[in-house]
Amino acid sequence: MNVSINYNGIESRQPVETEVDRLVGKLGKFLKTYSPDLVQLHGAFEKHPRKVEYTFSLNLSLPTGNLHATGIGPDLRMSAKQAFADLQRQVKKHQAKLRRDYQWKRKRSRFKA
C-alpha cells in the first residue's frame, strides 16, 4: 500500500505518525486481497485557523473504486481515529457489495407447528 500523509501547519508530528502507522496497519488487514501496488492512501491534516480543531481527510484508491473519509476532532489523534474508523466502515461495506452479500442472505426458517 502506498501511503502519503501531509501535515499542514502541524509542529509535533512524531506522536501522530506512530498513531497513523498503527491505524494504517489495522486498515491493511482488510485490504490483503488487493495488490499492494494498486492501493493508495492519501491523507492530510489541517488545523482550523480560528478554532482549536483539527481536520483529517483520507482518500483510499482501490482498483474497484475510491473511498473518502473525514475526521474532525479537538486533537490530532481523535481526528485520525474518526477518519480511519469511517474509512474502515466504508471498506467493509464496499467489499460486501463486491461479494454480493445481499444475494446470499439466508431466509429465516419458519417454525412448523
Side-chain angles (χ1 to χ4, degrees):
M1 176 183 340
N2 300 329
V3 180
S4 66
I5 307 289
N6 294 334
Y7 299 90
N8 297 333
I10 308 299
E11 295 84 26
S12 60
R13 293 175 18 176
Q14 187 60 28
V16 179
E17 284 180 353
T18 58
E19 183 72 21
V20 168
D21 288 340
R22 186 182 70 81
L23 293 169
V24 166
K26 285 176 73 174
L27 184 65
K29 292 178 184 178
F30 294 103
L31 304 174
K32 287 183 180 178
T33 57
Y34 298 109
S35 174
D37 297 339
L38 299 176
V39 178
Q40 296 180 355
L41 179 69
H42 300 286
F45 280 103
E46 294 179 6
K47 183 181 183 315
H48 196 278
R50 297 179 189 210
K51 297 180 183 176
V52 183
E53 188 174 79
Y54 295 93
T55 304
F56 184 51
S57 59
L58 284 170
N59 290 323
L60 180 65
S61 298
L62 299 172
T64 56
N66 295 326
L67 303 175
H68 177 74
T70 304
I72 300 171
D75 63 341
L76 296 170
R77 285 182 165 178
M78 288 301 293
S79 63
K81 283 182 182 180
Q82 274 187 341
F84 273 102
D86 186 26
L87 191 64
Q88 199 171 25
R89 222 177 359 259
Q90 288 182 26
V91 166
K92 286 180 184 178
K93 188 174 182 179
H94 179 71
Q95 288 179 341
K97 204 173 218 179
L98 290 175
R99 285 191 304 261
R100 296 185 180 183
D101 281 350
Y102 59 90
Q103 289 181 349
W104 291 96
K105 213 155 208 180
R106 293 184 180 178
K107 295 180 182 175
R108 262 176 87 180
S109 61
R110 295 186 181 188
F111 182 79
K112 295 181 181 181

